[in-house]
Amino acid sequence: MRVDILTLFPEMFPPVLDHSIVGRARKKGLLQVCCHQLRQFSPDPRGRVDDTVFGGGQGMLLAAEPFARGIDEICAHLGWKPHILYMSPRGKVLDQEAARRLARQPGLLILCGHYEGVDQRLLEEYQAEEISVGDFVLTGGELPAMIVTDAVSRMLPGVLSEEACFTEESHYSGLLEYPQYTRPEVWRGRPVPPVLLSGHHENIRRWRRAQALAVTRKNRPDLWERFNITKEDREILEKLEDFT
Ligand SMILES: C[S@@+](CC[C@H](N)C(=O)[O-])C[C@H]1O[C@@H](n2cnc3c(N)ncnc32)[C@H](O)[C@@H]1O
């Protein structure tokens, strides 16, 4: 997959996207990330990209034209049109399903807003999909663009060693993940739940399922309400105490 990012701050990206799993995916050629400085596409000789807001109000707005020129140039260079995202607190909040959907695209072109955002006409002209990373306001779209790139890239075939790495994780199937433990067996007087040391695979599976159900019900009533609980899940949940 190829990810192009149009931003006022391309230098923010390498410290995050050059490392760890995403960095390795890039080195292996599974993911290509290209950050472009928005100012280089400004029609203004001094590289100005913002202006005041029509109708009055606080702050500056990013103009449509520098983004439009950047998008056109990137598409011309590629010879095809990637799926265009605009990072925005007004967008649909990113979830695992959206990350999975975006990972099926051959390419993403991510537009990072700043100041008050961007001229609405740009979003309409290019039918950009607005994506939010949560119900709060950040100073710019750079961190959200990194979050989208990270979440999407770990869904790409070959990026994680086994598909189970993400299919068993929080949010993949609508539940949060069960708690996990490593050595030592007792840490500061806290023992690992005995079922996990029993070697009994079916009991371990049922215990983990019960924990995932319980933590989702407790921490995320919104997810719990949408979750289609099965008869087996209900039984597992009721017997939770038996396994601990
Ligand atoms: C200060 S914000 C602009 C907020 C905008 N005036 C509003 O009220 O919706 C500047 C930029 O940061 C990015 N941004 C801020 N919060 C975000 C969020 N929760 N998710 C995605 N992008 C966000 C967007 O690109 C946005 O254009």
Side-chain angles (χ1 to χ4, degrees), residues 51-57 61 119 121:
D51 216 322
T52 51
V53 183
F54 282 130
L61 197 68
D119 190 310
R121 291 168 295 182

Side-chain angles (χ1 to χ4, degrees), residues 17-31 159:
L17 300 183
D18 282 0
H19 303 282
S20 183
I21 291 170
V22 177
R24 283 200 294 278
R26 294 176 67 189
K27 283 194 193 99
K28 279 199 238 165
L30 301 170
L31 173 73
V159 170

Side-chain angles (χ1 to χ4, degrees), residues 168-189:
E168 285 180 11
E169 276 181 331
S170 296
H171 299 294
Y172 192 86
S173 61
L175 291 177
L176 303 178
E177 193 180 57
Y178 48 80
Q180 300 188 85
Y181 306 84
T182 184
R183 288 188 180 82
E185 285 179 21
V186 180
W187 180 77
R188 296 195 179 181

Side-chain angles (χ1 to χ4, degrees), residues 146-159:
M146 290 180 217
I147 289 171
V148 168
T149 306
D150 186 299
V152 166
S153 59
R154 62 202 303 287
M155 296 279 144
L156 299 174
V159 170

Side-chain angles (χ1 to χ4, degrees), residues 50-67:
D50 61 341
D51 216 322
T52 51
V53 183
F54 282 130
Q58 294 285 315
M60 303 295 278
L61 197 68
L62 290 169
E65 188 58 19
F67 275 114

Side-chain angles (χ1 to χ4, degrees), residues 87-208:
M87 305 319 305
S88 162
R90 295 189 325 182
K92 190 162 177 281
V93 177
L94 181 73
D95 59 14
Q96 198 64 10
E97 202 187 313
R100 228 178 306 164
R101 172 174 58 81
L102 295 174
R104 288 197 289 268
Q105 295 283 344
L108 300 174
L109 201 176
I110 307 181
L111 314 177
C112 300
H114 224 81
Y115 314 122
E116 285 308 308
V118 70
D119 190 310
Q120 178 66 23
R121 291 168 295 182
L122 174 84
L123 307 179
E124 292 165 10
E125 175 77 8
Y126 288 91
Q127 297 182 344
E129 179 182 356
E130 291 187 65
I131 296 268
S132 168
V133 292
D135 292 339
F136 42 79
V137 178
L138 298 164
T139 51
E142 285 72 20
L143 289 170
M146 290 180 217
I147 289 171
V148 168
T149 306
D150 186 299
V152 166
S153 59
R154 62 202 303 287
M155 296 279 144
L156 299 174
V159 170
L160 298 182
S161 49
E162 284 181 51
E163 201 179 292
C165 290
F166 61 83
T167 56
E168 285 180 11
E169 276 181 331
S170 296
H171 299 294
Y172 192 86
S173 61
L175 291 177
L176 303 178
E177 193 180 57
Y178 48 80
Q180 300 188 85
Y181 306 84
T182 184
R183 288 188 180 82
E185 285 179 21
V186 180
W187 180 77
R188 296 195 179 181
R190 295 167 185 272
V192 168
V195 64
L196 299 178
L197 307 175
S198 68
H200 192 300
H201 296 304
E202 179 56 13
N203 279 357
I204 292 172
R205 184 193 72 77
R206 287 168 67 84
W207 182 89
R208 286 180 166 164

